[in-house]
Amino acid sequence: MSKEDVESGLTWEVKANSRHYHKHKQRKSFLCFTWGRYSDNVVRSHKYSLLTFLPLTLFEQFQRAANIYFLLMVVLQCVPAISSIPWYITIIPLLVVLSVRGFKDLAGDLARRRCDSEINSRPCDVLFSQSFMTAQWKDLCVGDVLRIRRDQIMPADLLLLSSSEPHSLCYVETADIDGETNLKYRQALGATHNELTSHPSEEALGAFNGVVLCEEPNNRLYTFRGQLQWQGECFLLENEHILLRGTVLRNTDFAYGLTIYTGTDTKILRNCGKLRVKRTQLEEVFNKVVIGIVLSVLLAAVLLAIGAGVSSYQAMTKTSFLSALVIDGKPAYNGFLVYWSYIILLSPAMPIALYITFELIHTIHSKFIGWDLEMYWQQTDKPAEARNTSLSEELGQVGYLLSDKTGTLTQNRLLLRQCCIAGEVYGDASVSAEDVKPMDLSWNPFSSGGLRMFSPTLVETLRGQRCPVTTQFLSALALCHTVMAEWKEGSLVYQAASPDEETLVGAARELGWVFLSRTRDFVVVSELGATRQYQLLALLDFTSKRRRMSVLVRDPQGGLKLYCKGADVVILERLQKNCPHKESNEIALELFAEACLRTLCVAVRSVPEALWEQWSRTLALSAAMATCERDTLLEKLYDEMERDLLLLGVTAIEDRLQEGVPETIALLQEAGIRVWVLTGDKKETAVNIGYSCKLLHPESRLLEWQELREILQSADPQVSFFKAKQTELWATHKEMARAKTSVVLTGPELAEFEERPEWGASFMSLAEQCQSVLCCRVTPAQKAEIVELVRKHTASITMSIGDGANDVNMIKTAHIGVGLAGREGGQAVHNADFAVSQFRFLQRLLLVHGRWSYRRISLFLCYFLFKTCGFALVHIWFGILNGFSAQSLYETWFIALYTVFYTATPVMCMAFFEQDVSAESSLKLPELYKSGQKKELSSPRKLITYLLYAVYMSLVLFFIPCGVFYNTDYDYQTMAVTVSMAATFAVTIEIVILTKYWTKFNIAALCVSVVMFFICSRITHSTRLFQSSPADYFFLGVSEKAFIDPMVWLTALLTAWAAVLPSVTSHAFSVILSVHNKHKIHNSSPPPVELRSRFARGSSLRRSSYAISQGAGPGRLINSTTSIQRAEVLKEEKVSTSKKL
Amino acid sequence: MVKEEQEESPNRPDNTAFTQQRLPAWQPILSASIVIPMFVLIGAAFIGVGVALFIASRDIQLQELDYTGDDSAHPCYKCRSSTEKCTCSMTFSIPNLFKGPVFFYYGLTNYFQNQRKYGASKDDNQLYGDLDYFKDPSSSCDPYTRDSRNIPIVPCGALANSMFNDTFSLSHVVNGTQKIVPLNGKGIAWWTDYNVKFRNPSVTPLINAFNGTKKPTNWPKPIYELDTTDVYNNGFINQDFLVWMRRAALPDFRKLYRRITHDDYVNGLPAGNYTLTIEYNYPVYSFNGRKKVVLSNVSWMGGKNDFLGIAYIVVGSMCVVMSIVMLIVYAKFKFAEDD
């Protein structure tokens, strides 16, 4: 490796066909040490092996503070000197918790293992000493030469050496990388193509000994820098030469590639981001509260221990009957022991059962999501799926929805819905595409269906050849494009880089103008059955700056024609004077824009022979020029040719939205969720979709980078933002007052944020006032950065939704990631927390399941906190009256069974079934969702209120029975049973108050729990158990006596009622006040969602564009000669300057 | 046809009320017209119970005699610091008939029988009559497990060691002569304690079981001599011992000593003067404790207890007050809306 290479950053060295060399340097790891340079091609997402499972799972589980805490409790309880309750009370639940969790992890890991091994054992052909052998993906090594067959997935990042197609072209589908289904072209270097395309190719490939020097592995999907050193020459390598892992080879029999990056070094895996364990905010808040409880317990124990020391001292000096019990006669030591005893005694305040119950509830909620018939998609036979079972309550708190566009909002299916030819509009966009009657096209042998435009008049006009303009229009559609035609199984298949072109050519084919094939110089078209050959003289390619493309052809009669199609603004300014139908076409443009269709203008020009001759001479000259000079000249030349056009008509294409997308977005926005769109697509397309899915209001103002930058740079972004808004208001019509602002950004602009981190906060505060934010041309990593930005600067829950591998990173970064289970091999789904089949299912997922889940879990946590703290804190008060001796006020069995049998099931039933409003009402009243965003039920304040309530309950639970039994002959055990009874009653009344939805399970659980208390008490106090172990069942006969004592009952009832009185009262007040509130809600119920946009007639809101997925059109490829230098391809426009409104 | 498809697909979720979360449920719709009357009703019920309790408690007669003797004028003052056997007597009069059956309690204050170590300082197996634990009592009895010569103590532990050992006799002054009121010591302990929890070892005579053991250090006589007259009231099943061993809940407590159920006193104590004679042994002055004798009768609710009745009335009144506040709030909103 030369010094120069290091400086240029090309430090990654790959030697072709030298497996031994690379194998030696393969990355290996042992424990936490790794060495070696090249990663292997094995996917390892599993964590455990047979040996490491037990230690690892225990290690992980004991990272959870609660488990450590309980383990400590068990240890403490084993020390006889401080054991205030026996050790088995804690260890049994702890073991259950650990093993349940362990088995769950193990099952998940086994599933991952299966999934990994499926990927790792996929076959691929590797060249071993001049012949291809089938190997598995995991055996691949950097430097291997591979043969990829048609429809195979690339196992690693490859350098394309040659392919079975002419010029070593090959087509790849990148659906798993960026979600786009149209094919992309890749072409091998001329040198490798020429040298390696021999038959059989094995020999040449086996002898190939080039060395690739390139960048270190990185996550930039669209760029690649490197060079191939071979035969003493050095060739520059570009992204066009690279086949990325995860892409699929299409329409190409074989492609040969050199492995450059493997495994974790590949670009797509570099883009995947780190797997992070997602925890819900509610859980975090709750964990903090639990830590708070533990600290308070420790503090209380300190105070009690001091009390114990003092009382021991008093006992020593005064109380003869107790003095001997002070160990070693040291009050301080006694206090120290009592400290630990109190920690044990108060530990039930933080119940171990909570975490296991919490998980159970999450699991059931996730099941409910999978069971929902309304989220089941019949067509693909897929129900919704909660892949991460611990996030369900966050679905009820989402503040930001960040959505991918292609495949998520749109179906990635374009349809020609309307067109306007010679001023005549054909087709009706108000009929939805599914309802369009199919036309009778049986006369056309090439028709394959799929035209969603009903217009018999157009067909008649065409077949009768009555109108020359119409004929020309169809010819233009059939000729002016860069589509490739291919015969596949007896039918004609089009391959296009632009889905729009594919649609238009397909539509022309349905109408009888069939594009049959193309060679370098000719285009063959069948016009109503008559095959005609057009000579292709020039192809004036599309760029995002030109926003049009043209072909110059010589028709069979010898006439020269320029067919041009492009965005309306560009075409309209190039029309000849007094062009007929211009006005009617403009009206049609308005009409199509209103229906949110994407429009293109089609025009023609008859070129005089003389002009062509002169023009072609200049063009030939340009070939010899330097790149930059040539570009200017070409631009000028093209401009000369594309003028004096005759407008033929307008096409209107519908970018099919997924079902119910506008309704869903409107509903979610009403629910207070901010919807952002992040897409790799062009700005024009993104904005267009933004309008059609009602994300952008037709009147909303788009705030673009220039303006945004100024606002952000100004001293006070808020002020200048409002100023900008205000001037807008002053300047425009009053109608605009209601208009909102949306921000439109592109990837390169976003990159500036990285350099100016201080902008993040002010940008977010602006964005919060905006209707929406659209980010276009962003890479997967940038998508994740945006999510990170939102997470960092707002307290809201973010949710990402996407369907492609390019969304994986953002899905992983967001609080909640949703994968759209549309197509095969859903990378997104594998990494998502939830998988749904349709975008509109988000409505139910968020507003119904999310809202319910949030409510249920919040109530559950508050109640759980209340019932355990209220019950455990009693010991603090009892300590005052028993000399701070850590005497338990309950029987040990009651402590053990209280959380499990006596109080667990009713709250679990509530957490399973509770519904404050029905699913239908949840969808009808989206504003109900806002309470989750505001964290009304789970705020720390709410939890603290419940804690205070628990403290109150513990006071009541102790002091009322204390008052009753003071100075009477009631013994300690009777009082213990009375307090237990009161505690059970109180928490039962509390759950009755909280439950609003009483299914038979709730009622049964409630009855069983209370009955359980009486039965279990009688059992643990029974003679038989006492006789088997007198030390463990020493409450013999207490309940027998207490349960028939009216004083015990009266005391328990009074205590229970007094304990829940604050809660009952506050609920009663809320009932009384809610009568008032309900009235309010009723009055202010929102107007029905208006889905048709309100267009002011005459407003110029045309959106005409031409969708090409990445950069310039492939026209150059079509025109190319074999010696074409791909490196010269125009650099794609980074910043599109044009903007439409 | 659609139905066939549904049956075919195993992925299709079941359409049951449970999975679709459409379980039939009762959703009580609460309103002010339910809540407010409910509060009034509950409040009224609590007040009713409270009044009943209060009346029942008021009707109970109670005679309390403090014999701690910290006042030099008190007859028991002399016994306070005496180390010898000391007897003192107190006289009191009962104005009206003290309805029977009359319960005779002794009471202690500031006495922490609910102290954890104190309460645990016993050996349940020993008290269950298991001879193995006579030889080797549980360490929970420390430091009252063995005496200075390492002989095991039976019954071991602080609880037994500190057993209350004052004795009382009550005499009625009839025409200037003292007439002993018979005190019934049977059935004052819990049935389960007497029959199940505590057992004498099945050795006759009982004394043989205690060979090689020592009496608790504070006791004047060993456990098998607590009541030599009655086999069924001796040893571990001695009623006074059982009553003592059942720990009190709180530092101020009473324990049943005897019942007055015999002879002329079946219907209660007639009006007149009585003399209580106390054999004063138990020291309480070191920890500011007090000792008393309580005579009381019982009602349906047990002994005298004003607290519960008052607490019921207070909580009931709070409910009623709340309902009034709710009514005001409700009316306010109602009128505000009407405007």
Side-chain angles (χ1 to χ4, degrees), chain A residues 786-799:
Chain A
I786 296 165
V787 176
E788 197 64 58
L789 187 77
V790 177
R791 280 188 72 147
K792 196 172 152 196
H793 296 290
T794 64
S796 305
I797 303 287
T798 54
M799 175 189 237

Side-chain angles (χ1 to χ4, degrees), chain A residues 794-816:
Chain A
T794 64
S796 305
I797 303 287
T798 54
M799 175 189 237
S800 297
I801 179 166
D803 70 323
N806 60 337
D807 305 315
V808 167
N809 204 342
M810 89 172 169
I811 283 174
K812 282 183 179 174
T813 313
H815 289 106
I816 312 168

Side-chain angles (χ1 to χ4, degrees), chain A residues 704-753:
Chain A
E704 290 197 53
W705 181 239
Q706 300 296 338
E707 212 176 332
L708 185 69
R709 206 188 145 105
E710 276 166 33
I711 292 174
L712 288 177
Q713 272 174 337
S714 65
D716 193 343
Q718 282 296 328
V719 170
S720 45
F721 176 67
F722 280 117
K723 242 183 214 161
K725 238 183 168 177
Q726 245 155 25
T727 45
E728 184 81 1
L729 293 183
W730 282 111
T732 52
H733 198 257
K734 262 193 177 171
E735 268 294 293
M736 292 291 276
R738 270 187 296 149
K740 292 177 181 171
T741 312
S742 298
V743 178
V744 180
L745 287 177
T746 64
E749 293 159 4
L750 270 168
E752 266 189 64
F753 272 96

Side-chain angles (χ1 to χ4, degrees), chain A residues 81 83-84 318-319 321-322 324-325 327 341 368 370-374 376 378 381 383 849 852 856 878 881-883 885-887 912-913 915-916 920 958 960 962-975 996-999 1001 1023 1026-1027 1030 1034 1036-1038 1040-1041 1046-1047 1050-1051 1053-1054 1057-1058 1061 1064-1065 1068-1069 1071-1073 1076 1079, chain B residues 5 9-15 18-28 30-32 35-36 39 42 46 49 53 64 105 111-112 114-118 121 124-125 128 142-144 158 162 190 192 196-197 199 246-256 286-288 292 300-302 305 307-308 311-312 315 318-319 322 325-326 329-330 333 337:
Chain A
S83 170
S84 44
K318 290 181 180 170
T319 321
F321 70 100
L322 290 175
L325 295 171
I327 296 168
S341 303
F368 276 136
W371 282 333
D372 195 337
L373 262 179
E374 308 215 1
Y376 168 75
Q378 184 98 46
D381 187 30
H849 289 281
W852 278 347
R856 290 167 184 173
F878 187 44
L881 288 180
N882 66 26
S885 60
Q887 171 65 47
F912 292 158
F913 305 118
Q915 298 180 10
D916 54 340
E920 290 73 26
F958 176 68
I960 289 186
C962 172
V964 175
F965 294 139
Y966 210 79
N967 206 5
T968 62
D969 63 339
Y970 282 98
D971 68 311
Y972 153 75
Q973 292 187 339
T974 309
M975 178 159 166
K996 299 275 192 301
Y997 192 80
W998 288 93
T999 66
F1001 297 107
T1023 307
F1026 171 80
Q1027 281 166 341
F1034 55 88
L1036 169 70
V1038 183
E1040 196 182 329
K1041 206 165 146 62
M1047 278 294 272
L1050 287 171
T1051 310
L1053 285 175
L1054 175 76
W1057 182 251
L1061 198 58
V1064 175
T1065 317
F1069 269 107
V1071 163
I1072 285 165
L1073 297 178
H1076 174 66
H1079 196 69
Chain B
E5 269 176 21
S9 166
N11 288 340
R12 191 186 169 85
D14 296 334
N15 190 5
F18 178 75
T19 55
Q20 299 310 311
Q21 305 198 59
R22 293 185 185 283
L23 284 173
W26 176 58
Q27 287 173 275
L30 293 176
S31 67
V35 169
I36 295 173
F39 255 76
I42 292 174
F46 268 72
V49 173
L53 281 172
E64 203 172 277
Y105 301 94
Y111 193 101
F112 288 84
N114 57 9
Q115 218 263 7
R116 178 167 62 95
K117 288 207 160 302
Y118 174 80
S121 184
D124 281 315
N125 289 307
Y128 193 56
D142 285 341
Y144 298 102
S162 61
W190 283 29
T192 44
V196 186
K197 202 169 179 180
R199 258 184 209 182
R246 186 150 280 280
R247 293 162 65 202
L250 297 160
D252 289 8
F253 59 88
R254 294 176 197 161
K255 281 180 186 286
L256 190 55
S286 65
F287 55 92
N288 293 327
K292 42 195 178 179
W300 60 272
M301 55 166 278
N305 199 328
F307 179 87
L308 193 61
Y312 259 94
V315 171
M318 273 161 74
C319 289
M322 282 300 169
V325 174
M326 279 176 215
V329 171
Y330 177 66
F333 273 115
E337 261 168 47

Side-chain angles (χ1 to χ4, degrees), chain A residues 464-713:
Chain A
Q465 306 229 359
R466 269 179 248 148
C467 171
V469 176
T470 317
T471 325
Q472 290 246 34
F473 180 82
L474 265 292
S475 297
L477 293 189
L479 289 169
C480 179
H481 54 79
T482 56
V483 175
M484 301 286 209
E486 190 187 17
W487 284 93
K488 208 174 182 180
E489 289 154 16
S491 68
L492 192 58
V493 179
Y494 294 135
Q495 294 297 346
S498 153
D500 289 54
E501 284 199 330
E502 194 181 331
T503 313
L504 290 176
V505 176
R509 163 185 169 173
E510 294 298 312
L511 294 168
W513 264 254
V514 188
F515 164 63
L516 289 177
S517 67
R518 78 158 73 236
T519 58
R520 212 186 114 200
D521 301 322
F522 290 99
V523 176
V524 185
V525 175
S526 156
E527 296 177 356
L528 293 174
T531 309
R532 304 179 76 187
Q533 197 174 31
Y534 288 82
Q535 194 189 354
L536 185 64
L537 298 175
L539 196 147
L540 287 59
D541 202 4
F542 172 88
T543 66
S544 52
K545 196 176 168 195
R546 277 162 44 78
R547 296 166 69 207
R548 62 185 183 271
M549 77 161 287
S550 313
V551 284
L552 187 63
V553 292
R554 190 183 293 280
D555 64 27
Q557 285 82 35
L560 281 176
K561 286 269 169 64
L562 177 90
Y563 290 106
C564 180
K565 70 173 183 209
D568 52 1
V569 236
V570 245
I571 300 290
L572 290 177
E573 68 183 22
R574 286 182 166 71
L575 296 182
Q576 50 185 245
K577 275 179 196 150
N578 307 322
C579 177
H581 313 306
K582 193 179 166 194
E583 259 132 55
S584 56
N585 273 314
E586 277 189 57
I587 294 170
L589 279 169
E590 298 280 340
L591 191 75
F592 298 157
E594 230 175 280
C596 290
L597 300 175
R598 204 143 75 197
T599 54
L600 275 180
C601 287
V602 181
V604 71
R605 179 189 186 189
S606 294
V607 184
E609 201 72 33
L611 176 66
W612 154 242
E613 268 165 32
Q614 188 221 328
W615 190 81
S616 64
R617 260 199 305 279
T618 330
L619 187 69
L621 273 179
S622 74
M625 288 176 150
T627 319
C628 98
E629 263 181 73
R630 202 189 54 190
D631 284 351
T632 14
L633 181 69
L634 277 180
E635 201 177 308
K636 215 181 115 216
L637 265 180
Y638 286 179
D639 192 49
E640 265 172 38
M641 185 52 84
E642 291 164 326
R643 55 175 60 161
D644 291 334
L645 299 172
L646 175 74
L647 186 62
L648 293 171
V650 179
T651 60
I653 290 175
E654 182 180 359
D655 193 350
R656 288 291 290 149
L657 292 177
Q658 299 259 9
E659 215 178 302
V661 165
E663 291 88 341
T664 307
I665 289 182
L667 195 70
L668 294 184
Q669 285 187 333
E670 251 179 82
I673 300 172
R674 280 163 206 288
V675 185
W676 290 22
V677 172
L678 316 179
T679 174
D681 238 334
K682 289 199 314 164
K683 188 154 86 177
E684 286 79 5
T685 334
V687 171
N688 194 336
I689 290 299
Y691 282 111
S692 63
C693 66
K694 303 290 179 282
L695 181 66
L696 304 180
H697 196 265
E699 288 146 24
S700 67
R701 196 168 75 93
L702 297 188
L703 190 66
E704 290 197 53
W705 181 239
Q706 300 296 338
E707 212 176 332
L708 185 69
R709 206 188 145 105
E710 276 166 33
I711 292 174
L712 288 177
Q713 272 174 337

